[in-house]
């Protein structure tokens, strides 16, 4: 491609549009010798003996390799699997290769971190490994430009992972359990079930947030990846089994009567509230009674200046300040309706203790959202998370400019 023998600029071929994590991943794949899917080319005859080769599928991978090899791509600090093992000749203190008594070179294993490094920084062994990597090729022969355009349309008709789908890859220990829970009857029968939400992985992320709010609110994370990453190290099978049990119990007593309450954005909050409810030894039907009262009479009742009706209109879904307001309100309304006294609460599990509600990162997130909303009032916390992940992938985190201008 660099020499022009293969063209990366067929008439309808899109431009390179992949991000830094993609390039990092291609680099790690090559340096570790892992599998790289074959590239697909097409040959268009120019005359009887000459053909022009075009990239049909693989432009993003090809360009990523060229960015690393020729364009001084720097592997970012957030790269996964950054330590690359290689074999090299052992040297003495003068830098001369050591040989054994039989005249054979003595070899040793070394580790090279590619964090914040470019190809030029690689040891010669890794440069050689990169240059010698064998890329598999499949070719369509005797094509017209029209056929090549059709092939590009056909073979590039795919969709990358969204933030929820990618987040599941950060919690492999519990991923199968999460998938099983996300297929539960509660989600299908007690909520307004949406097949697109299922396909987009949003119910998987909702299950993770249920665990986060019920058992780890003092370490609350708002980003989908951050939630999964935290739970992978700090959750347990028992916590996910408990959420499954809660879903079964709520489906039984609520059936499909509260689908307007059990909406995707609020289900994690309601499961945290139900977790609180289970500490008082009441029958589950009492919780259903409370939800009935909420829909008929309690929805407009104010606590500390806010009501269910007011909070339900808020567009944010994962903002900690809003989540905290909902938890405080719903639990207060429940306690009052069911005549629950606060002294029955198990303090160690009190997810709404004031000293755990506000953290430094929450204030930073609020400041960012406030600024964004001055430009786009319709922006949501999901927008903030998605753009934040993108910016973090292309900006050098160590740069003072990043820290000074992060919100902007």
């Amino acid at each position: 491609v660099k020499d022009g023998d293969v063209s990366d600029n067929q008439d309808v071929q899109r431009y390179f549009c992949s991000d830094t994590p993609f390039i990092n991943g291609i680099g790690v794949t090559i340096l570790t010798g892992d599998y790289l899917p074959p590239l697909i080319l097409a040959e268009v005859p120019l005359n009887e003996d000459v053909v022009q080769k075009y990239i049909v599928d693989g432009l993003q991978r090809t360009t990523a390799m060229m960015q690393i090899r020729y364009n001084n791509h720097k592997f970012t600090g957030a790269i996964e699997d950054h330590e690359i093992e290689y074999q090299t000749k052992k040297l003495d203190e003068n830098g001369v290769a050591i040989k054994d008594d039989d005249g054979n070179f003595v070899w040793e294993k070394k580790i090279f971190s590619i964090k914040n490094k470019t190809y030029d920084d690689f040891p010669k062994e890794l440069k050689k490994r990169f240059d010698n990597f064998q890329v598999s090729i499949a070719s369509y022969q005797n094509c017209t430009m029209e056929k090549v355009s059709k092939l590009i349309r056909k073979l590039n008709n795919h969709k990358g992972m969204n933030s929820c789908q990618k987040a599941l890859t950060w919690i492999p220990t519990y991923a199968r359990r999460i998938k099983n829970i996300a297929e539960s009857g509660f989600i299908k029968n007690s909520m307004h079930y949406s097949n697109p939400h299922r396909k987009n992985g949003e119910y998987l992320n909702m299950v993770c947030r249920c665990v986060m709010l019920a058992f780890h609110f003092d370490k609350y994370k708002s980003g989908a990846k951050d939630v999964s990453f935290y739970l992978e190290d700090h959750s347990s099978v028992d916590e996910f089994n408990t959420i499954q049990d809660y879903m079964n119990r709520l489906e039984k007593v609520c059936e499909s009567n509260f689908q307007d309450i059990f909406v995707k954005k609020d289900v994690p909050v309601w499961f945290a509230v139900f977790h609180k409810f289970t500490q008082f030894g009441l029958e589950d039907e009492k919780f259903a009674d409370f939800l009935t009262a909420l829909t008929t009479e309690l929805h407009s009742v104010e606590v500390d200046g806010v009501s269910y009706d007011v909070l339900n209109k808020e567009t944010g879904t994962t903002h900690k300040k809003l989540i905290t307001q909902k938890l405080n309100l719903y639990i207060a309304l429940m306690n009052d309706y069911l005549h629950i006294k606060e002294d029955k609460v198990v303090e160690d599990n009190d997810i709404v203790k004031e000293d755990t509600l506000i953290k430094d990162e929450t204030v930073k997130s609020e400041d960012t959202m406030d600024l964004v909303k001055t430009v786009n009032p319709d922006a949501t916390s999901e927008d903030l998370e998605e753009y934040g992940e993108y910016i973090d992938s292309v900006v050098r985190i160590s740069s003072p400019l990043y820290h000074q201008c992060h919100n902007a």
Side-chain angles (χ1 to χ4, degrees):
V1 172
K2 185 173 184 295
D3 293 336
D5 300 327
V6 176
S7 173
D8 61 353
N9 193 27
Q10 198 270 348
D11 296 353
V12 303
Q13 183 64 268
R14 61 178 173 171
Y15 298 119
F16 180 69
C17 57
S18 297
D19 55 15
T20 297
F22 177 83
I23 304 177
N24 290 344
I26 293 294
V28 170
T29 296
I30 292 176
L31 291 172
T32 57
D34 285 344
Y35 174 74
L36 187 72
L39 310 182
I40 300 178
L41 307 181
E43 298 179 357
V44 177
L46 300 181
N47 57 46
E48 191 172 299
D49 301 316
V50 180
V51 298
Q52 173 64 61
K53 296 181 180 180
Y54 293 97
I55 295 177
V56 171
D57 183 56
L59 173 71
Q60 307 300 312
R61 282 164 282 164
T62 301
T63 307
M65 287 186 274
M66 292 179 66
Q67 293 280 0
I68 296 169
R69 181 61 180 83
Y70 301 111
N71 292 345
N72 203 38
H73 169 77
K74 177 176 284 190
F75 291 88
T76 58
I79 187 172
E80 190 178 10
D81 300 326
H82 62 92
E83 293 186 337
I84 309 297
E85 185 179 90
Y86 67 99
Q87 179 176 294
T88 185
K89 295 170 185 173
K90 191 172 185 179
L91 306 178
D92 61 19
E93 62 274 9
N94 298 317
V96 178
I98 299 174
K99 293 185 178 182
D100 61 20
D101 294 339
D102 295 324
N104 298 315
F105 287 109
V106 178
W107 297 88
E108 62 179 345
K109 289 288 184 68
K110 285 190 175 183
I111 300 292
F112 181 79
S113 173
I114 61 175
K115 273 188 178 182
N116 299 313
K117 301 293 196 308
T118 68
Y119 173 89
D120 291 338
D121 298 320
F122 291 179
K124 62 181 181 180
E125 291 83 2
L126 291 185
K127 288 181 179 179
K128 183 177 181 180
R129 185 184 297 180
F130 190 95
D131 292 345
N132 290 345
F133 184 81
Q134 296 297 301
V135 180
S136 299
I137 300 291
S139 293
Y140 285 89
Q141 297 179 328
N142 298 316
C143 295
T144 63
M145 287 296 276
E146 182 181 7
K147 182 177 180 181
V148 176
S149 298
K150 183 177 181 179
L151 287 171
I152 290 174
R153 181 174 67 250
K154 175 183 177 182
L155 297 175
N156 287 277
N157 188 21
H158 56 262
K159 183 180 181 181
M161 280 185 164
N162 61 30
S163 60
C164 289
Q165 293 163 339
K166 283 189 289 187
L168 191 67
T169 68
W170 290 98
I171 188 168
T173 300
Y174 307 105
R176 175 51 58 186
R177 192 78 191 93
I178 292 167
K179 279 190 171 182
N180 291 340
I181 296 173
E183 296 294 327
S184 72
F186 172 84
I187 294 176
K188 294 179 178 178
N189 301 322
S190 298
M191 297 176 58
H192 277 301
Y193 185 76
S194 165
N195 197 51
H197 287 167
R198 176 185 179 275
K199 291 193 297 183
N200 291 335
E202 294 175 53
Y203 293 135
L204 304 174
N205 180 243
M206 185 188 75
V207 171
C208 292
R209 292 187 185 278
C210 287
V211 175
M212 188 86 216
L213 264 65
F215 303 105
H216 303 277
F217 190 71
D218 58 328
K219 300 294 184 181
Y220 180 77
K221 312 292 180 184
S222 61
K225 172 187 170 183
D226 294 334
V227 171
S228 294
F229 194 77
Y230 178 85
L231 293 181
E232 173 66 17
D233 291 334
H234 299 92
S235 189
S236 67
V237 172
D238 287 343
E239 290 177 353
F240 284 97
N241 287 343
T242 299
I243 294 300
Q244 175 72 85
D245 178 58
Y246 289 171
M247 286 192 176
N248 294 339
R249 291 164 61 177
L250 286 174
E251 181 194 7
K252 181 178 180 180
V253 298
C254 297
E255 299 180 331
S256 61
N257 298 324
F258 306 107
Q259 290 185 346
D260 290 339
I261 291 179
F262 290 141
V263 293
K264 180 172 61 69
K265 67 175 182 177
D266 271 356
V267 164
V269 178
W270 281 114
F271 271 72
V273 175
F274 187 71
H275 177 64
K276 175 74 69 176
F277 169 84
T278 61
Q279 299 172 19
F280 304 116
L282 300 175
E283 296 294 326
D284 291 349
E285 286 78 7
K286 292 292 185 180
F287 192 79
D289 292 343
F290 161 61
L291 294 179
T292 299
L294 183 66
T295 62
T296 58
E297 56 188 277
L298 300 180
H299 57 87
S300 59
V301 175
E302 291 190 357
V303 177
D304 295 330
V306 294
S307 66
Y308 176 83
D309 288 341
V310 170
L311 295 184
N312 196 43
K313 294 177 181 178
E314 293 289 335
T315 57
T317 58
T318 61
H319 194 247
K320 187 173 184 180
K321 181 178 179 181
L322 177 61
I323 296 295
T324 301
Q325 287 180 311
K326 288 182 176 180
L327 283 171
N328 284 329
L329 174 64
Y330 299 168
I331 291 175
L333 291 174
M334 177 184 73
N335 289 348
D336 183 67
Y337 180 79
L338 297 178
H339 307 293
I340 296 172
K341 295 183 179 180
E342 278 297 313
D343 57 9
K344 293 184 179 180
V345 178
V346 180
E347 290 297 330
D348 288 344
N349 293 327
D350 191 354
I351 59 178
V352 292
K353 290 169 68 175
E354 286 298 323
D355 61 347
T356 66
L357 296 185
I358 303 297
K359 302 289 185 182
D360 289 343
E361 62 268 22
T362 306
V363 175
K364 181 178 179 181
S365 177
E366 290 174 9
D367 292 343
T368 306
M369 179 58 78
D370 289 342
L371 177 60
V372 170
K373 280 187 173 293
T374 64
V375 181
N376 179 6
D378 297 325
T380 66
S381 56
E382 282 85 356
D383 297 329
L384 202 65
E385 176 188 342
E386 184 173 348
Y387 284 111
E389 289 181 355
Y390 173 74
I391 291 172
D392 287 344
S393 72
V394 299
V395 177
R396 296 180 185 177
I397 305 303
S398 60
S399 167
L401 184 65
Y402 175 86
H403 294 288
Q404 294 175 34
C405 301
H406 176 270
N407 288 351

